[in-house]
Amino acid sequence: MIVKYKCYILVCVTWQIAVVSAADHLLEGIYCGKENCYEVLGVTREATKNEIARSYRQLAKRFHPDLHRSPEAKKEAEEKFKEIATAYEILRDEEERSDYDYMLDNPQEYYAHYYRYYRRRMAPKVDVRIVIAVTISIISIIQYYSAWSKYDTAIKYFMTVPKYRNKALELAKAEMKEVQGRSKVKKSKAEQKEEQDRLIRKVIEENMDIKGAYAKPEIVDILWVQLIILPYTIAYYIYWYLRWFWRFTILKQPYGEEEKMYLIRKYMNLGQHQFNAIEEKEKQEFLDEELWIKENFKVWKEIKDEEAKKALAENNKYKQYRRYIKQHGVGRMTFDDS
């Protein structure tokens, strides 16, 4: 029993010695391989960046392949020059040097060293700030051109609506006569049509107040500008809130038209662009019905909801849909009609 116990202790001691011995070896394939980077450059671990750079320059000059004539000496110098360059690349970077020092102090963390080494090698070297700036720029460009595309779609739509086209045509007649009078060359019908459409579009753009999501885009609406003026926006909101609280909560002042419209929009859960798209006549009706008072708005909302349900129930297509659902159910497939 005693012999077995002694054997067990001997095996454990041998294993510990093997582990310690293995820990002294450097890892192949990462950093300077089996060579110590500090020893390659002839410096200590306490060496400063200037000392490392100075040692590198001296060794690089000494072992530069171009300074050696014979093929054997040139080949040997190339290998040494690569080792020196690799060691310098590792030790001149503070983060990579820190990882290398950690490996020297903790050689037993075999897989962790490989992970750190290749993670740093594979990680992109681009500054995060540049990535963010480029991303914001791309979003801003897409946002701006998308807004112009929507605006162009709205203008083209209004050009096809007889009501707006005829009105624009009346306004553009004087300019069309002036253009025709200045032109000495007689234009074809296609050219006259093109000129007419151009003038109609111009009149619509100048006179049509398109609001909502299809409004004419402004540079201030893009993401870059919004981020730049964000501090001003936050400061203005704080000022606006404190002013509102002081005037209408503390002093109990009556609401002006602007404040009434704000409360109505808030109760309707509409954005500024959506609310702006509502006709002025309809907005005036909101004011006449005093919808800025929450109780009045609730009553008005219930009436509108009932009217919408009634209109939907009287809609023939909706009646057909309800009849189909009642007979066939939701999600059922039948072949009775085939």
Side-chain angles (χ1 to χ4, degrees):
M1 188 73 179
I2 294 172
V3 175
K4 287 184 178 179
Y5 182 74
K6 287 181 177 180
C7 290
Y8 176 76
I9 292 175
L10 183 61
V11 170
C12 290
V13 171
T14 305
W15 181 78
Q16 289 289 340
I17 293 171
V19 170
V20 172
S21 178
D24 292 334
H25 289 288
L26 297 168
L27 299 175
E28 190 69 56
I30 62 175
Y31 301 112
C32 296
K34 292 295 184 178
E35 300 294 330
N36 186 302
C37 293
Y38 291 102
E39 293 176 1
V40 170
L41 292 179
V43 295
T44 64
R45 287 185 61 175
E46 291 74 29
T48 64
K49 290 183 73 173
N50 289 335
E51 291 172 343
I52 290 171
R54 185 166 58 250
S55 178
Y56 166 72
R57 285 194 296 269
Q58 292 172 354
L59 292 170
K61 186 177 180 181
R62 178 182 169 188
F63 291 99
H64 198 283
D66 293 343
L67 300 177
H68 297 78
R69 303 266 180 182
S70 64
E72 295 80 9
K74 197 176 187 70
K75 185 176 181 181
E76 186 178 346
E78 285 178 354
E79 294 297 327
K80 189 65 178 175
F81 188 81
K82 288 179 182 178
E83 289 180 8
I84 295 166
T86 301
Y88 179 63
E89 286 293 324
I90 291 164
L91 297 183
R92 75 172 182 172
D93 184 271
E94 291 183 3
E95 293 183 358
E96 195 155 10
R97 182 179 178 180
S98 177
D99 285 349
Y100 184 69
D101 289 343
Y102 184 82
M103 187 194 76
L104 295 177
D105 295 333
N106 304 274
Q108 71 278 4
E109 296 183 19
Y110 182 86
Y111 295 107
H113 300 318
Y114 276 101
Y115 169 74
R116 286 194 184 91
Y117 178 81
Y118 286 109
R119 181 192 63 181
R120 197 171 296 285
R121 284 286 185 276
M122 300 300 291
K125 301 295 183 182
V126 182
D127 192 334
V128 176
R129 291 170 296 183
I130 296 175
V131 174
I132 293 173
V134 171
T135 303
I136 294 173
S137 299
I138 292 172
I139 292 173
S140 299
I141 292 169
I142 294 172
Q143 180 185 16
Y144 189 66
Y145 280 99
S146 175
W148 269 109
S149 177
K150 287 183 177 180
Y151 176 71
D152 184 65
T153 301
I155 293 295
K156 287 179 179 177
Y157 168 74
F158 285 120
M159 287 177 66
T160 61
V161 177
K163 173 184 174 182
Y164 300 109
R165 185 178 179 86
N166 294 335
K167 185 68 176 177
L169 194 57
E170 289 178 12
L171 295 172
K173 276 182 179 179
E175 189 172 349
M176 287 174 65
K177 288 180 180 179
E178 185 180 346
V179 171
Q180 289 173 358
R182 287 199 307 265
S183 178
K184 296 180 180 180
V185 181
K186 189 175 181 180
K187 295 181 179 180
S188 64
K189 288 185 177 180
E191 289 175 334
Q192 290 177 7
K193 178 71 166 55
E194 186 179 343
E195 183 68 23
Q196 183 183 21
D197 287 342
R198 186 186 65 79
L199 291 173
I200 289 172
R201 181 187 178 96
K202 180 183 175 183
V203 170
I204 290 176
E205 286 180 347
E206 290 175 352
N207 295 275
M208 183 69 69
D209 186 18
I210 301 173
K211 297 178 181 179
Y214 291 86
K216 189 174 184 178
E218 297 181 7
I219 199 73
V220 74
D221 292 329
I222 68 172
L223 182 59
W224 253 127
V225 178
Q226 288 293 314
L227 291 174
I228 292 170
I229 65 173
L230 183 61
Y232 166 78
T233 305
I234 294 172
Y236 180 79
Y237 175 77
I238 293 171
Y239 161 75
W240 178 88
Y241 180 80
L242 292 175
R243 179 173 171 271
W244 182 285
F245 184 78
W246 173 256
R247 288 183 60 192
F248 305 117
T249 305
I250 303 297
L251 300 181
K252 304 292 184 181
Q253 292 182 2
Y255 295 124
E257 185 174 319
E258 184 180 348
E259 288 77 24
K260 291 175 181 178
M261 285 297 188
Y262 167 75
L263 290 172
I264 294 170
R265 180 172 68 82
K266 181 182 174 183
Y267 295 151
M268 289 182 170
N269 292 321
L270 296 178
Q272 188 64 59
H273 286 301
Q274 292 174 305
F275 192 75
N276 289 344
I278 297 174
E279 296 288 341
E280 293 299 326
K281 182 181 177 181
E282 193 173 354
K283 288 180 183 178
Q284 187 58 47
E285 290 177 2
F286 297 160
L287 293 174
D288 294 341
E289 297 184 33
E290 299 183 346
L291 297 187
W292 69 87
I293 301 172
K294 198 161 190 176
E295 291 72 18
N296 293 351
F297 177 79
K298 287 181 178 178
V299 174
W300 176 85
K301 183 77 165 56
E302 290 176 1
I303 293 172
K304 290 296 179 182
D305 289 343
E306 286 297 323
E307 289 177 356
K309 288 179 182 178
K310 185 178 179 181
L312 191 63
E314 293 175 355
N315 186 282
N316 289 329
K317 290 185 177 179
Y318 183 68
K319 286 180 180 179
Q320 292 174 5
Y321 170 75
R322 288 181 61 188
R323 196 179 304 116
Y324 176 83
I325 293 298
K326 186 176 180 180
Q327 294 176 358
H328 301 281
V330 179
R332 286 181 57 191
M333 290 184 65
T334 64
F335 299 91
D336 296 335
D337 297 331
S338 58

